[in-house]
Amino acid sequence: MNAEPLEVQYLYSKSIMTTFHAIWSLAGFTGAGLGYVMVTQHIDPSFHLLGVGVPMLAVTVVFFPMTVACESSKEKTKFFSMPDKTLLKFAVICFVSMACENTMYDWSGIYFQSVLHALQKITTAAFVFFMTAVTIGRFAGDYAVMRFGIKNILQYSAILVASGFIICFVLPFIMPTILAFVLIGIGVSCTIPLVFSIAGKSSGLSSGTALASILTVGYLGFLVVPPMLGYISEVLRMKWAFLIMAVLAVVMIYTVNQISEKN
């Protein structure tokens, strides 16, 4: 799924990678909205899933023959693949970005309730602000890359993520935290697609194999870090867990400085 848009990106002189991820975000909004309608209308989940699955299968059958052939589709890849030395920096960036993004999915609402003692509607609105920032950031990402370059955007993104989590720690109030969520949303929006686009050209591996090795490390951040923050929150407080995420974002800033777009 990630290798295919990367192969398409190679056909273009301008950046189009973040737009693919923006469409994914729109699909998430659409799915959430459709799910809300189904639940409020008391429609049985089996009809809901069948009503979504059949059209999506039909779309897949129609458009699959038009996809670009990927070298990785012909390779036998390992289920678990660690990145080589040339890809390790990208794997670290991916690890931190996915850890920060999933922290927002898992803990942003709990932060609003346990630290800020906010009402449920405000908690929901804050998360919507975050998701909206992610989507807008991805749609604007390709234009920003063409103007400022991939490495600069990755640096700005890491700075925004670090700034957002620091604000959550220093100013634990509703309005500053909503602003922080927007900064984090913009920061994480383009990091993964841009890492994919630059890392795919950085080793002798095929794009699919390179991305698989990076995602092996990246998904560790996605899956392992948020539960660890839960344990930390039990011992300390949730805002201290967010400070740890700010430190990780600083690590990402340093790592981005070590890469080159000409790898």
Side-chain angles (χ1 to χ4, degrees):
M1 181 177 66
N2 288 300
E4 175 67 19
L6 189 56
E7 294 289 339
V8 176
Q9 172 66 84
Y10 293 154
L11 302 176
Y12 286 77
S13 58
K14 65 179 182 178
S15 175
I16 60 170
M17 195 64 179
T18 68
T19 302
F20 282 105
H21 287 247
I23 298 300
W24 181 90
S25 296
L26 281 184
F29 272 119
T30 303
L34 182 60
Y36 176 80
V37 171
M38 295 293 180
V39 170
T40 56
Q41 297 302 313
H42 306 290
I43 297 175
D44 190 271
S46 59
F47 290 106
H48 175 189
L49 298 179
L50 189 66
V52 172
V54 172
M56 291 299 98
L57 182 60
V59 168
T60 302
V61 170
V62 170
F63 286 99
F64 180 76
M66 305 178 193
T67 57
V68 178
C70 299
E71 292 181 16
S72 57
S73 63
K74 303 174 184 178
E75 297 177 352
K76 292 183 178 180
T77 57
K78 297 179 181 179
F79 176 76
F80 187 88
S81 176
M82 292 299 293
D84 59 24
K85 185 179 295 186
T86 60
L87 296 173
L88 190 57
K89 296 187 291 289
F90 303 109
V92 171
I93 296 170
C94 192
F95 175 91
V96 175
S97 180
M98 295 183 79
C100 291
E101 184 174 354
N102 203 32
T103 294
M104 295 300 295
Y105 293 147
D106 289 355
W107 294 109
S108 60
I110 296 175
Y111 177 89
F112 254 77
Q113 293 173 347
S114 65
V115 177
L116 307 183
H117 307 292
L119 298 175
Q120 181 59 48
K121 62 181 181 180
I122 297 177
T123 299
T124 302
F127 185 73
V128 170
F129 272 106
F130 166 75
M131 287 299 299
T132 302
V134 172
T135 304
I136 293 174
R138 286 173 174 167
F139 273 116
D142 289 319
Y143 170 79
V145 166
M146 295 300 296
R147 183 168 182 178
F148 301 107
I150 292 178
K151 183 174 179 179
N152 284 334
I153 296 302
L154 286 174
Q155 288 175 324
Y156 301 152
S157 297
I159 291 171
L160 287 175
V161 173
S163 300
F165 280 113
I166 290 173
I167 290 173
C168 289
F169 178 78
V170 176
L171 297 171
F173 307 103
I174 290 177
M175 292 309 297
T177 303
I178 290 176
L179 172 62
F181 280 19
V182 171
L183 295 179
I184 296 169
I186 296 173
V188 300
S189 64
C190 296
T191 301
I192 298 302
L194 294 184
V195 166
F196 288 170
S197 64
I198 191 172
K201 302 178 288 186
S202 299
S203 72
L205 302 174
S206 70
S207 58
T209 302
L211 297 189
S213 65
I214 292 173
L215 283 173
T216 294
V217 177
Y219 276 115
L220 287 176
F222 195 82
L223 298 173
V224 174
V225 173
M228 290 177 60
L229 295 183
Y231 287 112
I232 293 170
S233 300
E234 289 289 331
V235 177
L236 301 173
R237 292 184 65 191
M238 177 61 67
K239 73 173 191 174
W240 286 97
F242 273 36
L243 181 62
I244 291 175
M245 301 312 299
V247 173
L248 284 179
V250 171
V251 172
M252 183 164 68
I253 295 172
Y254 172 79
T255 307
V256 169
N257 287 329
Q258 308 305 308
I259 67 174
S260 170
E261 293 186 51
K262 298 179 181 180
N263 277 337

